[in-house]
Amino acid sequence: MYKKFLLTGLALSLATPAFAEVTIDLPEDVDLLLVNGTEPEIDGGFFSSSSTAILPDGENQIVFRYVPSFKQGQEFEKMNSDVIVAKFAATDEKLKFEFPNYRNIREAQRFNNNPDWKLVNESNQAMEMTQDKLVHEGMQIGRDYESEMIKFNAAGGAAAIATTNSAAYAAVTAAQASGQTVTVVPVATTADAAVPTQLPETSAGTTEEEMLMFWYSKADDATKARFKAYVNSQ
């Protein structure tokens, strides 16, 4: 009976696939801002000696700053890099960041001109990726990275990914092109989420799909054609 129980348990364990995911170790000199356009899922945190970002298998997009610190006399100086956007594909991998060994803040400031960094796996192999910068003109304080990434992804650059939010932004852009005044905001899926103030009262609390349909119905034929071309290119 005991032997049968063991064999049954073994068969079940073999029949059930192991849960796979991608993890990235987060060192102190990395400020991970977004994963796939939203707040990252972090294992660990402020009171933990280490933290890890958890990502789904497949294509992923990360947005981060490189923030190394260097001792200057009795104090520490921190360098805040430009915001980096990177896209890569991985399956069931444990990854970590790798940066050059800068000796001081002056050397580290070269990073903005040449973002020389890698994501490496447990075999110390660098992941293939494309990267870009999330450029923001003017004041850098209080930036809305989620809204910025909606526009970034809608523009379709090398490091962009196709997301529901970017499609929603494209629909709003199509409405603007037809001469309508539109306020662009991040689109949420919950019923109590914020929506553009120009939407009629009957659309309050609508879903992203309904918002797309709303703005599409308001566009003229030429704008609809441009939007269709954009969707087909994604």
Side-chain angles (χ1 to χ4, degrees), residues 14-233:
L14 291 175
T16 305
F19 179 74
E21 61 189 11
V22 177
T23 61
I24 306 177
D25 290 339
L26 297 178
E28 292 182 355
D29 55 7
V30 169
D31 182 10
L32 185 63
L33 303 169
L34 297 174
V35 170
N36 299 328
T38 61
E39 185 176 342
E41 180 182 352
I42 304 295
D43 183 13
F46 185 78
F47 295 104
S48 176
S49 59
S50 63
S51 58
T52 303
I54 302 173
L55 290 69
D57 283 337
E59 183 180 76
N60 283 288
Q61 180 193 66
I62 59 174
V63 181
F64 73 95
R65 282 187 188 274
Y66 177 46
V67 289
S69 295
F70 302 91
K71 191 170 184 180
Q72 183 71 20
Q74 300 299 316
E75 299 180 351
F76 283 89
E77 291 182 309
K78 176 177 285 189
M79 194 278 287
N80 289 293
S81 77
D82 296 333
V83 178
I84 303 297
V85 181
K87 179 176 69 174
F88 65 95
T91 300
D92 195 20
E93 293 272 19
K94 293 183 178 180
L95 308 175
K96 64 179 181 180
F97 284 92
E98 217 176 68
F99 296 94
N101 185 25
Y102 297 116
R103 295 172 297 178
N104 52 57
I105 195 168
R106 179 174 297 179
E107 287 188 0
Q109 287 170 343
R110 301 173 189 167
F111 181 84
N112 282 335
N113 295 325
N114 179 30
D116 183 15
W117 66 282
K118 301 174 184 176
L119 277 179
V120 298
N121 60 20
E122 291 182 293
S123 300
N124 206 36
Q125 295 177 321
M127 307 300 294
E128 292 187 7
M129 68 174 68
T130 54
Q131 67 170 313
D132 205 340
K133 291 184 180 181
L134 186 61
V135 179
H136 179 79
E137 302 296 336
M139 295 290 292
Q140 301 289 308
I141 300 174
R143 292 176 59 176
D144 186 344
Y145 293 108
E146 291 192 23
S147 293
E148 289 182 39
M149 285 307 300
I150 291 173
K151 299 177 183 180
F152 179 94
N153 286 321
I161 59 173
T163 66
T164 304
N165 278 352
S166 63
Y169 176 78
V172 174
T173 302
Q176 289 174 323
S178 67
Q180 300 179 55
T181 301
V182 178
T183 299
V184 178
V185 298
V187 179
T189 57
T190 56
D192 58 351
V195 294
T197 56
Q198 281 76 14
L199 286 174
E201 291 183 2
T202 55
S203 296
T206 186
T207 64
E208 293 171 348
E209 182 179 357
E210 288 170 337
M211 291 185 70
L212 278 170
M213 297 303 181
F214 174 83
W215 291 120
Y216 184 81
S217 68
K218 295 294 183 181
D220 57 25
D221 291 341
T223 304
K224 289 179 179 177
R226 289 195 295 273
F227 178 65
K228 287 179 181 178
Y230 166 81
V231 172
N232 292 332
S233 69

